[in-house]
Amino acid sequence: MIDKQTKKKLKDLRKEIKRLKKKYNKMEFRPCKNDAELRAKDVELREMRRRINELEKEQDRCILNSGSFQHGG
């Protein structure tokens, strides 16, 4: 069974992931006027994708850790 603290953390992680993915999609289709803007946008998108991946890994760790306590007895 997942405890309240872990449930809250998972809920917060999912909320943040959803928010970042929405922002990522909006940014992806934003037009650029020149090469400098295009490069800056590319850097922002890469950084945001990295952050989303970090949060997804942390979410997976929370789920796995809570599962190991459940079956560890």
Side-chain angles (χ1 to χ4, degrees):
M1 191 74 173
I2 298 175
D3 62 347
K4 283 186 178 183
Q5 187 178 17
T6 305
K7 277 186 183 181
K8 183 174 177 9
K9 186 172 184 178
L10 283 171
K11 183 179 176 183
D12 291 343
L13 285 170
R14 288 181 180 132
K15 188 176 178 181
E16 181 69 8
I17 289 168
K18 187 176 180 179
R19 186 188 69 79
L20 285 173
K21 282 184 177 182
K22 188 174 181 179
K23 187 176 177 182
Y24 181 89
N25 287 334
K26 283 183 181 179
M27 189 183 297
E28 196 173 29
F29 292 108
R30 184 183 69 203
C32 297
K33 295 179 184 175
N34 55 37
D35 287 345
E37 280 186 21
L38 185 61
R39 279 188 225 105
K41 178 180 162 182
D42 187 47
V43 169
E44 287 178 53
L45 287 172
R46 272 195 246 135
E47 178 61 30
M48 195 172 296
R49 187 77 239 164
R50 186 190 61 75
R51 179 71 179 136
I52 290 170
N53 288 338
E54 278 179 6
L55 290 172
E56 288 175 339
K57 285 179 184 177
E58 187 175 343
Q59 177 183 339
D60 292 345
R61 277 194 298 271
C62 282
I63 292 169
L64 287 174
N65 288 341
S66 65
S68 66
F69 291 120
Q70 187 176 19
H71 301 295

